[in-house]
């Protein structure tokens, strides 16, 4: 009887060890999106196309921007072509989880809420939230307290971190939801809104595109932020490849050349 119990105990321990080993074992390349992308010859890239300087859908149907160039570089490193899939900020996560793409790019902010459902690559760019307003009004919006007033018309685009910031920190302001992130800054120029809080990098670019608009304290963002690429949850092999590609792209200076192309 004693020997039987010993045999049963050893069997249970062996089973538990095998289960833990299997759970901890990394995914093989054959089970990774990496292998699937190489076999298909295409890297499917979700992007909104409405967020300069990262992603913009031109009238001729072609995408351009910092992350568009970098996505093409990633695809080239795999020996495949990049196929860009148009999405929107409200549907970005659902489209990604519906397997419409292998990676999502385009100035995507890292958030803990998103990290519950997707992997993020290493940080592509450190950014933050800053206001942009008509240059004549910059002194009015130096602090969060000055922004969060009933007399301030704060505009935002729905579905992303800009909306989340506006609703969390500008509850007393008069909030204006505007669906088109391409023409939203025209609303401030025309006097239909007073200010928008968005990523600092975007405020710098929009100042170039709209000289009457000025970033407010871009060197001191109201909120720290990071940008990265969305990747499939649980696929450690694919994430490791993307991270290594990003590391080498930055180390060789290729990344900075792309950024300078669009921001300088």
């Amino acid at each position: 009887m004693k020997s039987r119990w010993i045999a049963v105990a050893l069997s249970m321990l062996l089973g538990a060890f095998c289960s833990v080993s299997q759970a901890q074992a990394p995914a093989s390349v054959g089970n990774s999106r990496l292998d699937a992308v190489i076999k298909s010859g295409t890297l499917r890239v979700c992007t909104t196309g409405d967020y300069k300087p990262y992603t913009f859908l031109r009238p001729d149907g072609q995408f351009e921007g910092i992350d568009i160039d970098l996505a093409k570089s990633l695809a080239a490193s795999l020996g495949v072509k990049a196929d860009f899939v148009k999405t929107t900020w409200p549907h970005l996560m659902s489209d990604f989880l519906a397997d419409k793409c292998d990676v999502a790019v385009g100035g995507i902010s890292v958030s803990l809420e998103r990290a519950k459902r997707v992997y993020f690559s290493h940080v592509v760019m450190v950014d933050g939230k800053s206001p942009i307003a008509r240059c004549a009004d910059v002194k009015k919006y130096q602090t969060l307290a000055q922004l969060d007033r009933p007399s301030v018309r704060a505009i935002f685009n729905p579905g992303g971190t800009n909306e989340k910031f506006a609703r969390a920190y500008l509850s007393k302001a008069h909030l204006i939801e505007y669906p088109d992130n391409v023409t939203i800054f025209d609303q401030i120029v025309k006097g239909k809104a007073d200010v928008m809080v968005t990523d600092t990098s975007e405020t710098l670019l929009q100042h170039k595109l709209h000289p009457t608009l000025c970033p407010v304290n871009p060197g001191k963002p109201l909120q720290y932020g990071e940008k990265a690429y969305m990747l499939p949850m649980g696929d450690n092999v694919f994430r490791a490849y993307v991270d290594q590609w990003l590391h080498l792209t930055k180390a060789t200076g290729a990344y900075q050349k792309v950024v300078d192309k669009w921001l300088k």
Side-chain angles (χ1 to χ4, degrees):
M1 181 66 69
K2 184 177 180 180
S3 61
R4 181 183 299 176
W5 280 112
I6 293 175
V8 171
L10 288 173
S11 177
M12 292 175 65
L13 286 171
L14 180 60
F17 174 78
C18 291
S19 297
V20 171
S21 298
Q22 291 175 357
Q24 292 179 345
S28 65
V29 175
N31 295 326
S32 170
R33 189 66 59 94
L34 177 67
D35 187 63
V37 167
I38 293 174
K39 284 185 177 180
S40 69
T42 301
L43 178 70
R44 300 170 302 161
V45 184
C46 278
T47 192
T48 61
D50 65 351
Y51 189 11
K52 294 180 179 180
Y54 303 102
T55 174
F56 179 66
L57 181 59
R58 301 191 318 235
D60 64 2
Q62 298 298 310
F63 286 92
E64 65 178 20
I66 292 174
D67 283 340
I68 301 304
D69 286 352
L70 289 172
K72 290 178 179 178
S73 171
L74 173 59
S77 76
L78 291 165
V80 303
K81 66 176 182 178
D83 181 21
F84 294 99
V85 180
K86 178 73 170 67
T87 185
T88 63
W89 291 109
H91 297 102
L92 173 63
M93 183 60 72
S94 60
D95 284 347
F96 189 81
L97 296 179
D99 194 28
K100 292 185 179 181
C101 48
D102 307 301
V103 59
V105 310
I108 299 173
S109 296
V110 176
S111 72
L112 294 177
E113 188 62 33
R114 286 170 173 165
K116 293 176 183 177
R117 293 179 283 179
V118 300
Y119 271 168
F120 277 107
S121 68
H122 284 328
V123 174
V124 178
M125 179 180 290
V126 174
D127 208 345
K129 295 296 182 186
S130 295
I132 184 170
R134 289 179 294 277
C135 294
D137 297 334
V138 164
K139 291 183 178 180
K140 296 180 181 179
Y141 309 119
Q142 293 292 303
T143 66
L144 191 57
Q146 289 176 312
L147 290 166
D148 193 22
R149 294 176 176 177
S151 59
V152 177
R153 297 171 298 169
I155 197 168
F156 66 88
N157 58 306
T161 55
N162 288 343
E163 177 180 9
K164 183 171 290 188
F165 183 94
R167 296 196 183 282
Y169 297 103
L170 304 179
S171 59
K172 297 177 183 177
H174 174 60
L175 297 180
I176 302 173
E177 181 176 320
Y178 189 81
D180 186 358
N181 200 37
V182 175
T183 61
I184 192 168
F185 298 96
D186 294 331
Q187 301 301 300
I188 305 176
V189 172
K190 296 176 181 177
K192 296 182 178 181
D194 300 314
V195 67
M196 178 177 179
V197 178
T198 185
D199 294 320
T200 302
S201 54
E202 186 174 32
T203 67
L204 297 172
L205 177 69
Q206 290 301 325
H207 172 59
K208 293 183 178 181
L209 300 177
H210 302 87
T212 59
L213 299 183
C214 285
V216 180
N217 299 325
K220 297 180 180 180
L222 297 172
Q223 185 184 65
Y224 175 81
E226 297 177 341
K227 297 191 179 302
Y229 299 151
M230 282 170 42
L231 302 168
M233 175 71 82
D235 196 334
N236 296 325
V237 173
F238 189 43
R239 180 170 68 170
Y241 181 87
V242 173
D243 285 344
Q244 186 62 50
W245 161 81
L246 182 58
H247 165 71
L248 292 174
T249 301
K250 287 190 172 184
T252 59
Y255 168 84
Q256 194 58 48
K257 287 182 180 178
V258 172
V259 172
D260 291 345
K261 170 186 172 182
W262 293 100
L263 289 183
K264 286 190 175 182

